[in-house]
Amino acid sequence: MSSQPATSLSGASSPAAQGAAFRVLSAISFSHLLNDMIQSLILAIYPLLKSGFNLSFGQVGLITLTYQITASLLQPVVGLYTDKHPKPYSLPVGMGFTLVGLLLLAVAPNFGMLLVAAALVGMGSSVFHPESSRVARMASGGRHGMAQSFFQVGGNVGSSLGPLLAALIIVPNGRGSVAWFSVAALVAIFVLYHVSRWYAVQRAASKGKPAARRGGAHQLSQGKVLFAIGILLVLIFSKYFYLASISSYFTFYLISKFHVSVQSAQVHLFVFLFAVAAGTMIGGPLGDKIGRKYVIWGSILGAAPFTLMLPYASLFWTGILTVLIGLILASAFSAILVYAQELMPGKVGTVSGLFFGFAFGMGGVGAAVLGQLADSTSIDFVYHVCAFLPLLGIVTILLPDVEGHKKTAAA
């Protein structure tokens, strides 16, 4: 097979030598946008599904749980396997699962088939995220935080577009119009095929060459590394449990408390998710410059004052506060992911699969638990409880200074 088309995608035969390969990063970020836009349609059409199938809040949460748990259980397995046996062409195959799940979502006749559709979309995510995160790191040119943010922001923009497109297209035309978005999945498969060709060329070019020295690798003991990973997972729990309260139930909260229309509530959700996308782009480059631990600290704990005010705010201030929460809270993930990759060098797929998977799992568990809480109390009470979750950011103080340890080791 000729390598020219794949190589031309990046514009360089060696991304590490030539700097960040922005054409590759753009392609994988665009694919992330399409992938997460499709996934967010599930969340965005919850009001339609709830009324169409007479679902309780608990059943709504179960849809999210099915999707998130499928992704979270498989992602670490996929990452661990591809660290040892890279599969460049798994990217378009994974998107094929998402395509099938999307089409099934449009025609599912009952609640059980809705769960199957959600599971298929989750399987697509489980394949997509570990390998695409590896591609982003390969194309980073050493600017790992920037590359992860650039990759991640595509997904966040896609997630923000889901509610807006649902308000403009699906709500007026009905659930069957979800099938129209299969075009986006087909475009993603085409793009990912060419990314996979570039990935395969890079793998072939590196065969037989000695691995690059990991100069300046940290000298932390295995126990300290595992402890630090545990702290990072606590932070992921606080972030994604809180985000589940917004992504799954914010439309219901606005409708219940402020009596807005479904379309108006979905526009508010779009604004929040767009703020999340903007915040994601900030965290990675900032971590490259000032250190990832400081970004993690400010991102999780810094959102707490605004989450604590949110349950008492008017509709106008609710919009302002959710934008601030999205901007601040979203900046953490890229920093957390690259920090973890530096804790466990050479295990990009395993780390990416673990953290993407755990994030998806916590989102799913959070949606299910909060749905049951809303059924037994009220949707307003959910936001009073979740307001305290960002306070867990205080545990960031327990993280070791990986950058400092790397500099010491290098010296």
Side-chain angles (χ1 to χ4, degrees):
M1 181 183 293
S2 172
S3 64
Q4 183 60 35
T7 304
S8 65
L9 183 64
S10 68
S13 61
S14 177
Q18 297 296 324
F22 281 104
R23 294 182 68 183
V24 174
L25 289 175
S26 296
I28 202 68
S29 183
F30 176 66
S31 301
H32 202 185
L33 183 153
L34 295 175
N35 181 77
D36 285 21
M37 180 192 74
I38 293 169
Q39 294 169 12
S40 69
L41 290 174
I42 298 177
L43 303 175
I45 64 172
Y46 276 173
L48 285 180
L49 298 179
K50 189 175 188 298
S51 60
F53 290 90
N54 296 315
L55 305 180
S56 67
F57 281 119
Q59 287 175 308
V60 170
L62 189 58
I63 295 174
T64 303
L65 178 65
T66 300
Y67 154 65
Q68 304 280 36
I69 290 297
T70 303
S72 68
L73 289 178
L74 290 179
Q75 283 198 53
V77 176
V78 171
L80 183 63
Y81 178 78
T82 56
D83 273 340
K84 298 179 179 179
H85 311 283
K87 302 292 181 184
Y89 291 95
S90 64
L91 287 168
V93 172
M95 188 59 66
F97 284 109
T98 300
L99 172 62
V100 174
L102 181 69
L103 293 173
L104 183 57
L105 180 65
V107 298
N110 52 52
F111 179 65
M113 293 308 293
L114 285 178
L115 295 181
V116 173
L120 285 170
V121 175
M123 289 173 64
S125 288
S126 72
V127 177
F128 175 80
H129 285 101
E131 282 296 84
S132 56
S133 184
R134 188 195 309 278
V135 169
R137 191 172 179 91
M138 288 173 64
S140 69
R143 299 170 63 191
H144 301 139
M146 178 281 298
Q148 285 299 329
S149 281
F150 196 80
F151 162 67
Q152 191 66 22
V153 76
N156 290 137
V157 171
S159 295
S160 72
L161 288 175
L164 186 63
L165 293 174
L168 295 175
I169 298 174
I170 299 175
V171 171
N173 296 287
R175 181 168 60 96
S177 60
V178 170
W180 298 352
F181 292 90
S182 61
V183 175
L186 292 171
V187 170
I189 289 172
F190 175 80
V191 173
L192 289 172
Y193 172 75
H194 287 283
V195 170
S196 295
R197 293 187 68 186
W198 174 86
Y199 181 4
V201 168
Q202 303 306 310
R203 289 286 307 166
S206 65
K207 282 185 178 180
K209 294 182 179 180
R213 292 177 60 192
R214 296 188 189 112
H218 69 75
Q219 294 182 331
L220 297 172
S221 66
Q222 185 179 15
K224 289 183 178 179
V225 168
L226 293 177
F227 177 77
I229 292 293
I231 294 296
L232 294 176
L233 293 177
V234 170
L235 296 173
I236 290 290
F237 159 77
S238 68
K239 171 183 165 66
Y240 280 90
F241 226 80
Y242 185 83
L243 287 179
S245 73
I246 302 290
S247 59
S248 293
Y249 301 109
F250 191 49
T251 52
F252 297 114
Y253 174 74
L254 294 174
I255 293 169
S256 171
K257 186 171 183 177
F258 301 111
H259 309 291
V260 301
S261 67
V262 172
Q263 286 180 309
S264 176
Q266 287 173 330
V267 170
H268 278 80
L269 180 58
F270 160 75
V271 172
F272 167 77
L273 293 174
F274 192 82
V276 169
T280 299
M281 198 62 230
I282 296 170
L286 192 61
D288 285 339
K289 291 183 178 180
I290 70 171
R292 308 189 207 290
K293 182 176 178 179
Y294 298 109
V295 173
I296 297 168
W297 179 276
S299 177
I300 305 293
L301 194 59
F306 305 108
T307 62
L308 291 168
M309 288 188 283
L310 182 64
Y312 307 98
S314 65
L315 178 60
F316 172 79
W317 284 107
T318 293
I320 299 295
L321 289 172
T322 51
V323 167
L324 293 172
I325 291 167
L327 282 170
I328 297 170
L329 202 57
S331 62
F333 188 77
S334 295
I336 289 174
L337 185 60
V338 176
Y339 182 99
Q341 289 171 348
E342 291 174 348
L343 281 172
M344 302 175 67
K347 297 183 179 180
V348 176
T350 301
V351 170
S352 300
L354 174 63
F355 279 84
F356 275 111
F358 189 74
F360 276 52
M362 285 300 97
V365 172
V369 170
L370 297 177
Q372 294 291 341
L373 182 62
D375 282 335
S376 60
T377 56
S378 70
I379 198 70
D380 286 11
F381 183 72
V382 167
Y383 285 87
H384 282 83
V385 172
C386 290
F388 295 92
L389 286 171
L391 292 175
L392 286 173
I394 193 69
V395 301
T396 305
I397 198 172
L398 301 175
L399 289 175
D401 182 6
V402 174
E403 286 94 346
H405 279 283
K406 289 176 69 177
K407 290 177 182 176
T408 301

